[in-house]
Amino acid sequence: MNRPIRIAPSILAADYSKLGQEVRDVTDNGADWIHLDVMDGHFVPNISYGPDVIKSLRPHSKAVFDCHLMIAPCDPYVEAFAKAGCDIITVHAEAGPHLHRSLQAIRALGKKAGVSLNPATPENVIEYVLDELDLILIMSVNPGFGGQKFISAVLEKARRINAMIGDRPIDLEIDGGVTADTAPLAAAAGVNALVAGSAIFKGGTAEAYRDNISAIRAAAESARS
Ligand code: DX5
Ligand code: ZN
């Protein structure tokens, strides 16, 4: 397993009054990807932001824009997120009846396609779409809010999905409650992409972000060696 570790700050935990600056600060201080949590108040019990906000952030960073759609339906909106500058677009397996179609639609727009699984969703829902996938996102909290506790029962699911991936070029990402304490557990289970909101944006300064990102990266790397 040699997929590189990717640290993906979730701007859900950033200061929304200065989002461009926050994105520049994490980009300049070790972030590999910018994780964008889109919530509709329907699929999840919270509302965040949409494609216009993402479009306005695009000029602030060259990092990969990793868009996590917590919306249902998702198909009518995928094109707007592609046009906004997202590089990876991830939909929830639970968000609609036609996961294969949604993934095909994302790739047809020239973007990388991801699927996310809620904590209670078993890995068998992705068995027949592996060839349509560039990323699998395992939720380690119930989606909707930052700052929740990591659900360690999903680590077994990560191990199983890592085995399903085999040699395919698919990133395995985890999201929710990731800290320097939980990142090594995920990395040991085969996860290579780590989303963190509150653990990265705590401190509120670029220097704090650098320390927080490097602590998570070092903890994850140590679990692999
Ligand atoms: C939850 C979001 C997460 C969230 C993670 O629905 O998908 O990306 O921002 O926040 P923390 O790292 O604070 O758990
Ligand atoms: Zn997310």
Side-chain angles (χ1 to χ4, degrees):
M1 187 254 307
N2 50 17
R3 298 181 297 268
I5 293 286
R6 307 289 189 195
I7 306 297
S10 164
I11 61 162
L12 194 66
D15 181 341
Y16 279 17
S17 73
K18 50 170 184 171
L19 269 185
Q21 182 69 50
E22 295 277 70
V23 166
R24 291 199 299 278
D25 282 349
V26 287
T27 301
D28 294 345
N29 286 286
D32 299 298
W33 297 352
I34 303 297
H35 186 79
L36 301 156
D37 285 308
V38 177
M39 304 179 181
D40 65 353
H42 168 75
F43 179 69
V44 291
N46 193 10
I47 298 174
S48 58
Y49 50 81
D52 289 347
V53 169
I54 294 172
K55 187 177 179 187
S56 75
L57 293 173
R58 188 63 276 190
H60 292 267
S61 175
K62 289 189 164 42
V64 164
F65 270 21
D66 171 35
C67 181
H68 177 193
L69 295 181
M70 287 162 273
I71 65 175
C74 54
D75 291 6
Y77 303 101
V78 163
E79 185 174 6
F81 288 97
K83 285 186 172 159
C86 299
D87 301 294
I88 306 168
I89 299 176
T90 295
V91 298
H92 266 264
E94 308 86 358
H98 301 294
L99 176 60
H100 191 283
R101 175 182 288 153
S102 302
L103 298 172
Q104 281 190 319
I106 294 166
R107 281 193 167 171
L109 291 159
K111 304 300 178 180
K112 291 192 169 180
V115 65
S116 183
L117 304 182
N118 282 331
T121 302
E123 67 279 3
N124 62 1
V125 300
I126 58 173
E127 195 172 346
Y128 299 102
V129 293
L130 286 172
D131 290 340
E132 314 303 323
L133 286 173
D134 301 294
L135 177 140
I136 299 166
L137 171 53
I138 296 174
M139 290 309 301
S140 41
V141 297
N142 289 300
F145 303 95
Q148 303 181 78
K149 188 174 177 296
F150 186 85
I151 298 170
S152 39
V154 304
L155 291 168
E156 175 59 23
K157 181 161 56 177
R159 278 188 279 274
R160 292 184 194 181
I161 292 177
N162 188 45
M164 287 167 77
I165 290 173
D167 292 332
R168 292 179 177 86
I170 299 176
D171 285 296
L172 184 54
E173 184 173 49
I174 202 159
D175 185 5
V178 172
T179 65
D181 293 326
T182 54
L185 306 175
V191 168
N192 72 293
L194 297 138
V195 177
S198 34
I200 287 177
F201 285 96
K202 73 181 180 197
T205 65
E207 296 70 35
Y209 304 162
R210 176 178 309 172
D211 292 347
N212 297 338
I213 290 169
S214 71
I216 292 170
R217 188 188 301 282
E221 300 275 11
S222 74
R224 303 175 119 197
S225 56

